[in-house]
Amino acid sequence: MSKDSGQAGQAIFAALNEIAIIGQLSGNAFLKVMPDGLQLAQFGVLNHMVRLGDGWTPVRLASAFQVTKGAMTNTLQRLEARALVRIEPDPADGRSKRVFITEAGRAMHQRCLAALGPELAALEAALGGELFTRLLPDLQALRVHLDAARSG
């Protein structure tokens, strides 16, 4: 291993460590403002379905979130009890289920985004929106690579 690759490895580790810390700090900040006691995992599922569509199986959702099927089942049951998602039998496979976001779920997602507004505005005021505009393509590329690497 060359000196440059060792320095690159250190920089990569340091960057991933910063991302992990940012994830922890931002998750805690988000949790504090979630309406009606919504948990981050529950918001994550709603956000996932708003971004990527619904009709996913619990197993596929568990894989996407890298949690156990049991953990995802628990999250989905809590969302279903609040009428934020609807779980139906899979017409193609009677043993499986499909998860759909409800109108109440979409409304809750919007409430969550509104609740996050002041947190996001504070970040913009402190660091400027341009920072996030510059970072976004690189963070997306890193996410796409890491996601592809875990699936393969």
Side-chain angles (χ1 to χ4, degrees), residues 45-96:
V45 170
L46 295 177
N47 193 56
H48 184 83
M49 287 195 273
V50 167
R51 283 181 44 239
L52 300 175
D54 56 7
W56 292 54
T57 66
V59 169
R60 189 166 170 214
L61 285 167
S63 175
F65 283 89
Q66 297 190 54
V67 299
T68 65
K69 183 178 181 262
M72 182 53 65
T73 297
N74 182 280
T75 297
L76 293 173
Q77 287 172 341
R78 291 173 185 264
L79 288 168
E80 185 178 40
R82 296 175 71 155
L84 301 176
V85 300
R86 179 177 84 254
I87 302 173
E88 298 178 359
D90 184 339
D93 177 359
R95 299 169 298 164
S96 188

Side-chain angles (χ1 to χ4, degrees), residues 9 23 33-34 40 44 65 87 90 93 97 119 128 131-132 135 145 149:
V33 300
M34 288 290 106
L40 284 179
F65 283 89
I87 302 173
D90 184 339
D93 177 359
K97 306 273 187 209
E119 295 290 327
L131 171 68
F132 298 95
L135 286 173
H145 173 79

Side-chain angles (χ1 to χ4, degrees), residues 23-24 26-28 30-31 34 37-45 65:
Q24 185 70 31
S26 62
N28 286 334
F30 281 23
L31 185 58
M34 288 290 106
L38 197 74
Q39 296 298 306
L40 284 179
Q42 296 166 357
F43 172 73
V45 170
F65 283 89

